[in-house]
Amino acid sequence: MAISDKDVTWVEEPEMTFWEALFVPAIIDGLRTTARHVTGYKSVTQQYPEQRPELPMNYRGVHRLNKDDAGRVKCVACMMCATACPAKCIDIVAAPAPKNEEWAGRDKYPATFVIDELKCIYCGMCEEACPVDAIELTHIYDLVGTSRQDLTYDKEKLLDVFEQTKNSGRDPIRTHMGRLGPASEFESLPPLGPATAVPTGDKAARGVSSGVISS
Amino acid sequence: MNDFISASLVINIVLGAILGGCSYLIYVERRLAAFIQDRVGPNRTGPAGLFQPIADGIKLFIKEDVIPGHVNLFLFILGPSIAVFTTMLAYAVVPFGPPDQIQFTLMGMNLDFRFIIAPQIDIGMVFIFAVGSLAVYGIILGGWASNNKYSMLGSLRASAQVISYEIPLGMSIVGLGILTGSLNLERLVLHQAEQGFWGWNFWAQPVACLIFFVAALAEANRLPFDLSECEQELVGGFHTEYSSMKFALYFLAEYTHVILVSLLTTLLFFGGWQFPLIAEVDSAYTGSALVKVGVLLSKAFCVIILIMFLRWTLPRFRFDQLMGLAWKVLIPLGTANVVMVMTVKHFELPSWWMFPLSLGLVAVVGVLSVPNSKTRYGALGMAGGRTRIAADGVLPPGLGKRIPM
Ligand code: SF4
Ligand code: SF4
């Protein structure tokens, strides 16, 4: 759709002055800016393998399955995460908990719990959805494997990740229910409304609830 | 026989120096670009990344050489070969040191070593321009043989550009020819060297120097004139379909051209191997010849650094601006410069007159472009005219004023 004439304004560009028309002084000026980067050289590069990045606390990396106090998998196989997952990459087979001493007080547990880490988009929805804080995203970001199988994480691998990360200090285990995950814990509330000033009359910036067509 | 051996000795030294120099210039350029952009650049291969060019060379050799099925095979291979061949050929008449002859004995043969492959070629500069303009064949053939629209467009642009910039390039050295009475590069350098620092052609011909430098950059297809390979519009330009060593040959040709341009700028305008006190015409201490070679090469290196700085400073020209610069600015300016030199020569004015007169020429260009900048196609078609912005949009300071409608 073409922009209508009344949404467009014409601007007269400023005339060049004599010095600008010569071009050479402007180029020398530019060269001076370039040279300043070389003389006052300060690299912003992080030398990755030696220098590890300082990730924000709400970073979302590889999943883990938490264990409860008795060392059993915390998950109650409610399928909330698999339902919430937009990438449909969680596959759970639920089973009744064995009637023995070890599983006292639990009636359902995941017989298998598989996450395809390649399909996952690391959105954190699963950890938001879990009613018992059983699934959490950790800070592990350097996930490599030589086959698809390597990156399909089953229950054992996910519990392993828990053992690796529980004491790292960067992935605290959330034991209280009801609070949102670290992904949504802001230091301070974000400002309301758009971050940049929007001109009045900009139709695109007007808040419209979905399904409502404005003028 | 002895002549043959000493000639091939010089040729081998020159070729080896150019090839080695090219690979390390790429390293220098990558590091410098990184510094300018606040990055680090290649620093993993060897100490400070010094083995990177070698690794790159090996990589380019053992990479798969893809030749698409739809190309004209003969021309496809001919393209990069011509590109390298012609730029290398130009080095035949470029002196890389003083005109001394060094005699020495090697395995019982008396050899004559000169700092130039083909000494005393009187058409010097004409030869370089003639051979240099052949380089456009490499680009055209490569682009056409690739049988790909983007390559074709890239090579079309390159040919238009190279042909246009030949004219100011030739025009810029006419003045030097008149002043020196020769186009022989050795004679041109000697003429400057005899008059010392203030005899450098730069002082008599600053405008010619500027024109030569700009036009030569455009001939070498370097930024800001690399319209023929601009990634945003043409994928890779004329070398889109090339891979492995054939791509490397095009790259080599470009860098060889850059070295040639900087050597020529040094030789023609900045006194070549002459430098006050340490490398004068009559300095004859032992090793003075080598010092002169060193002076020449370090001057050329400074020009190369300047070229690299320009690359990361200036944005690319638009194609009509590129043509406008050649036809509307450089060619008239070059002609005026020649007239200026002839006038000074005819009235036998002292040669220092040429410096202020050259500045006057530049000032005239500036004065002429100011009223032109109002129309959309100002002197360079750079600024001027009217621009549409969104209504209610914020007007950045310095953009101009609103035109009421
Ligand atoms: S992070 Fe998102 S995509 Fe990945 S498993 Fe959880 S819900 Fe699915
Ligand atoms: S991880 Fe949480 S949400 Fe997913 S099945 Fe287990 S208890 Fe339910």
Side-chain angles (χ1 to χ4, degrees):
Chain A
M1 195 184 80
I3 302 169
S4 77
D5 271 351
K6 78 179 195 326
D7 285 341
V8 166
T9 187
W10 288 88
V11 173
E12 176 126 41
E13 287 181 7
E15 288 168 31
M16 284 198 287
T17 61
F18 173 71
W19 287 111
E20 283 167 349
L22 285 183
F23 280 97
V24 178
I27 290 173
I28 291 174
D29 214 35
L31 282 176
R32 207 175 312 132
T33 309
T34 311
R36 254 204 310 275
H37 280 267
V38 177
T39 51
Y41 171 62
K42 207 166 155 287
S43 161
V44 294
T45 307
Q46 213 169 30
Q47 295 293 335
Y48 167 64
E50 293 96 44
Q51 220 179 326
R52 294 293 173 142
E54 189 68 23
L55 295 171
M57 275 310 276
N58 51 11
Y59 185 84
R60 302 191 295 269
V62 177
H63 308 74
R64 72 177 181 202
L65 271 184
N66 289 348
K67 291 181 182 171
D68 64 8
D69 296 339
R72 305 169 300 196
V73 58
K74 230 177 179 183
C75 170
V76 296
C78 68
M79 309 282 182
M80 295 272 248
C81 53
T83 311
C85 177
K88 298 273 171 281
C89 64
I90 307 180
D91 182 69
I92 306 168
V93 175
K99 296 273 178 283
N100 58 20
E101 203 62 3
E102 198 197 335
W103 288 91
R106 298 277 300 271
D107 33 275
K108 212 174 163 198
Y109 86 116
T112 67
F113 193 113
V114 181
I115 299 183
D116 187 345
E117 300 282 350
L118 289 172
K119 255 188 183 176
C120 171
I121 58 171
Y122 299 95
C123 62
M125 292 288 196
C126 44
E127 113 181 288
E128 305 283 322
C130 183
V132 295
D133 290 335
I135 190 167
E136 277 179 349
L137 271 66
T138 64
H139 272 88
I140 299 176
Y141 56 87
D142 42 359
L143 183 65
V144 287
T146 51
S147 66
R148 276 167 190 277
Q149 223 55 51
D150 277 359
L151 295 179
T152 313
Y153 274 38
D154 57 10
K155 195 166 74 178
E156 281 66 45
K157 267 188 173 172
L158 290 166
L159 288 169
D160 255 8
V161 178
F162 171 75
E163 293 299 336
Q164 279 171 39
T165 55
K166 66 178 176 185
N167 292 325
S168 73
R170 297 195 59 85
D171 297 302
I173 304 156
R174 287 179 294 144
T175 47
H176 39 277
M177 290 189 287
R179 251 179 81 192
L180 296 178
S184 62
E185 276 164 11
F186 296 99
E187 305 269 294
S188 59
L189 281 176
L192 289 173
T196 46
V198 180
T200 52
D202 186 341
K203 285 174 195 158
R206 205 174 295 155
V208 181
S209 44
S210 59
V212 179
I213 299 161
S214 72
S215 57
Chain B
M1 184 62 195
N2 283 1
D3 281 353
F4 179 75
I5 291 177
S6 33
S8 45
L9 187 66
V10 181
I11 292 176
N12 278 319
I13 289 179
V14 170
L15 280 192
I18 294 169
L19 295 182
C22 275
S23 54
Y24 271 89
L25 273 187
I26 294 174
Y27 169 77
V28 169
E29 163 129 42
R30 288 178 66 188
R31 278 312 277 252
L32 198 64
F35 290 160
I36 290 169
Q37 297 164 354
D38 294 339
R39 296 185 285 114
V40 177
N43 67 339
R44 297 273 158 172
T45 333
L50 273 174
F51 297 152
Q52 186 70 38
I54 301 169
D56 283 346
I58 294 172
K59 180 199 76 176
L60 283 167
F61 262 115
I62 62 180
K63 239 175 144 175
E64 186 187 358
D65 190 357
V66 183
I67 299 184
H70 54 72
V71 301
N72 182 331
L73 193 62
F74 177 66
L75 296 182
F76 190 75
I77 297 172
L78 195 61
S81 327
I82 288 188
V84 174
F85 175 69
T86 50
T87 39
M88 292 277 182
L89 209 56
Y91 281 93
V93 296
V94 177
F96 55 97
D100 316 11
Q101 283 184 34
I102 297 179
Q103 261 127 13
F104 65 100
T105 334
L106 183 76
M107 291 187 292
M109 285 177 293
N110 289 320
L111 297 180
D112 242 358
F113 187 86
R114 285 165 172 279
F115 295 101
I116 183 170
I117 295 176
Q120 299 303 336
I121 301 270
D122 280 331
I123 54 165
M125 282 311 291
V126 179
F127 175 78
I128 290 179
F129 290 160
V131 170
S133 51
L134 284 181
V136 76
Y137 277 103
I139 294 175
I140 293 182
L141 287 182
W144 191 77
S146 294
N147 197 1
N148 163 325
K149 293 189 184 69
Y150 290 116
S151 306
M152 185 69 214
L153 281 174
S155 62
L156 279 181
R157 283 183 174 192
S159 46
Q161 175 183 340
V162 171
I163 290 167
S164 302
Y165 276 88
E166 299 265 278
I167 304 167
L169 197 62
M171 203 70 95
S172 64
I173 60 150
V174 172
L176 297 190
I178 295 173
L179 286 179
T180 317
S182 168
L183 286 178
N184 181 339
L185 271 163
E186 290 166 282
R187 194 94 43 83
L188 277 163
V189 178
L190 203 61
H191 179 79
Q192 301 174 60
E194 276 160 0
Q195 298 169 48
F197 179 72
W198 294 105
W200 289 5
N201 278 332
F202 175 77
W203 301 115
Q205 293 278 286
V207 177
C209 179
L210 189 68
I211 298 174
F212 179 84
F213 189 63
V214 172
L217 273 191
E219 281 257 300
N221 277 324
R222 281 287 289 191
L223 251 139
F225 301 107
D226 66 339
L227 273 286
S228 54
E229 44 191 281
C230 57
E231 296 82 5
Q232 294 87 341
E233 298 160 30
L234 295 178
V235 193
F238 60 88
H239 54 56
T240 305
E241 303 280 8
Y242 284 90
S243 54
S244 176
M245 212 47 212
K246 295 198 194 62
F247 170 76
L249 285 184
Y250 271 125
F251 218 72
L252 186 69
E254 182 185 323
Y255 270 87
T256 319
H257 211 131
V258 169
I259 300 180
L260 181 68
V261 166
S262 39
L263 271 176
L264 284 181
T265 314
T266 312
L267 290 167
L268 291 176
F269 295 98
F270 293 97
W273 42 262
Q274 194 268 343
F275 198 81
L277 299 180
I278 59 164
E280 299 280 12
V281 183
D282 46 7
S283 53
Y285 53 89
T286 33
S288 65
L290 284 183
V291 170
K292 287 172 184 174
V293 174
V295 166
L296 174 65
L297 293 186
S298 22
K299 279 182 190 174
F301 187 71
C302 292
V303 180
I304 292 178
I305 295 288
L306 175 68
I307 293 176
M308 289 177 182
F309 263 71
L310 282 174
R311 171 172 184 181
W312 300 110
T313 301
L314 297 180
R316 186 180 290 131
F317 278 72
R318 211 171 53 208
F319 200 68
D320 59 321
Q321 292 169 343
L322 181 85
M323 286 295 161
L325 180 66
W327 291 98
K328 294 187 194 163
V329 180
L330 293 185
I331 294 176
L333 193 59
T335 319
N337 182 53
V338 173
V339 173
M340 189 267 292
V341 173
M342 291 199 280
T343 315
V344 169
K345 272 292 204 198
H346 180 79
F347 294 105
E348 287 169 1
L349 299 173
S351 55
W352 58 261
W353 268 79
M354 282 186 271
F355 189 68
L357 282 177
S358 300
L359 294 189
L361 281 184
V362 177
V364 169
V365 172
V367 170
L368 287 181
S369 338
V370 169
N372 264 344
S373 78
K374 263 191 192 166
T375 58
R376 200 174 246 317
Y377 301 99
L380 299 192
M382 287 286 201
R386 305 184 309 170
T387 307
R388 272 163 46 129
I389 61 166
D392 319 325
V394 187
L395 212 55
L399 184 64
K401 33 185 199 310
R402 259 175 233 273
I403 305 171
M405 283 266 160

